[in-house]
Amino acid sequence: MATHGNSGDTGLTVYQFGSSLVNFISYGDIVGYWYDHFKCNPLSDSKGNDISISRMKLFNNIDDFSSLISNEMAKKNVHYGPPKTINTHRKRSHVKTYFSDNEKPEKIIKSVIDIPKRESGSERKQGHGIGIARFLQGKNYFITGATGFVGKVLVEKMLRTAPDVGQIFVLIKAKDKEAALNRLKTEIIESELLKSLEEVYGINYKAYLMKKLVAVPGCVCESDLGMDPLTANEIATKVNVIVNSAASTNFDERYDVALNTNTKGPFGVLNFAKKCKDLCLLLHISTAYVGDGERQGIIMEKPLYVGQGRARAITEQDIDFEQKLASEMLDSLQQDQATQKMKELGVKRANMYGWPNTYSFTKAMGEMLISSFRNGTPMVILRPSVVESSYSEPFPGWIQGYRVLDPLIFNYGKGQLPGFLADPNAVIDVIPVDMVVNATMAAIAKHGAAATPDLSVYHVGSSVANPISLGAVFDYARSHFKSFPLAQSSNGNQSLIQKMKFLDSLDDFSSYITMEMARQTGLFHETKLEPHLHKTLQKKSTRKAQAFIHLAKLYEPYMFYKAW
């Protein structure tokens, strides 16, 4: 009982407990899971032989079902032998119920009639939801960037949730097939991430992976993606879905490298996609930060086309010029100068066109090319925000490489970065990698099944539904490091972590971090240092301060970001 209003009247409060609003599962998905389970863990007949099953047929009226079940029962008797142990991921259970030889079809039909039908929403009525698992099964896929962070999680999820998936061709940068196969084994099959598949497929899971995964040597920035003609023709004949997740994600990557991977690469993938006879979909993974970074508020999911831009419109000729400029400058440089000079060129050109860094600029140009020249190729562009470690799948906390927030949190946890250039109230849009992969698979199923010559764009982020501020991020980090310290004080007991100090200008941060590095290296603690020791400590202090100042310059646009 509960009291409502000010009248003092008592009323009855009713609560409904269910999952359909927040975690919908269709009848089609349920019987799909049954099929996957009993294919791996079959029941036995009266003679102890495994029972072979096929996919369940679903009917929308009782007459059709009555006809089928009557015919099936007439063809064979139904009998399941003694209870058999079923292996699941987490526990072992026993089947307690089985049908007798004399089970009548009328009883089965009546049991179906008595089950209430559930129909709400046109999509549920027509197709039992998106049908992700059903779409994935039997299709062949071509994935670039599968050794990378997002690509590797996508491969794992596909193999774990769709056992009957067709072949997955994996483009790997390598000089030949042997080198590509070696990278496939060491970087994907033997990785910690894919060991979770042993629980699904048993000790022979590596043999299963070798059967499903095909290593293809190549490179996205070369003609036909660097594949030999026979391989390219085979894939073009077989593949149904292409996922381009190859990217250079360093904010200050060398301009030539970023142009090749982020701009020229997607265009090369598109050109290859046009040769694929049975292509349902090309899905390109971009970034949420290709749009207008100066805007505030919600940024809509709209494609970028050649002719659009920020500070100025970017034409096809501009993109060609940028590639030519980078190539010519690289040819003019000494080898020991190339990396630094090409990094500086990338930032300079990005800023000139209105982008804060080389990464977002070259990704934007890549989007412009594939959006403008797809010529009816079915396409989805997925734009995740800051992709970080997994939330739950295949297990919490998996990450590869040094992601965007990691340098800040790690150095903060070590006590080396007690302050940073940022607005504590700015929302930092972070999305776990497994949620990006879930969105990828949903988009593949939805648009791959339709196979219409459309272009759809999806932003994958958290700032609208579940925003978190930079101040909160570092508060959580401090709480964590107080319980699990990376650094301790001289007495070995007290954590060195203090509340993060936020500065609102690069000049203020530069002064602050220069003094802080001098203090940490010991320049302020020793009044009588030998000249050579003082010089050594000063160099160390300056080097660390410059590294943090460089990081602050790269991150500044996102530390005060007002769009979502």
Side-chain angles (χ1 to χ4, degrees), residues 265-280:
F267 191 58
V269 174
L270 171 64
N271 287 332
F272 177 72
K274 292 177 180 179
K275 301 177 182 179
C276 298
K277 300 175 182 178
D278 296 320
L279 186 74
C280 300

Side-chain angles (χ1 to χ4, degrees), residues 33 285 397 415 445 458 540 554:
Y33 297 144
I285 298 179
Y458 293 99
K540 181 180 179 181
L554 290 178

Side-chain angles (χ1 to χ4, degrees), residues 62 100 262 272 473 526:
I62 194 64
S100 69
N262 298 340
F272 177 72
V473 167
E526 301 292 342

Side-chain angles (χ1 to χ4, degrees), residues 496-515:
L496 295 172
I497 307 304
Q498 304 299 319
K499 190 172 180 64
M500 173 64 83
K501 180 180 178 66
F502 293 97
L503 298 107
D504 59 10
S505 78
L506 184 60
D507 288 341
D508 288 347
F509 174 73
S510 298
S511 299
Y512 167 80
I513 203 65
T514 299
M515 297 292 288

Side-chain angles (χ1 to χ4, degrees), residues 23 44 55 183 226 243 303 319 349 399 433-434:
N23 192 22
S44 59
R55 293 198 174 278
R183 285 194 66 191
V243 178
I319 297 175
R349 302 302 292 181
I399 198 167
V433 64
D434 47 338

Side-chain angles (χ1 to χ4, degrees), residues 251 402 404 406-408 411 417 420-421 506 509 545-557 559:
F251 284 179
Y402 216 32
V404 176
D406 302 345
L408 302 183
N411 282 289
L417 187 65
F420 199 65
L421 175 65
L506 184 60
F509 174 73
Q546 288 176 343
F548 285 132
I549 292 170
H550 177 68
L551 192 66
K553 289 179 180 178
L554 290 178
Y555 282 25
E556 183 177 11
M559 298 296 101

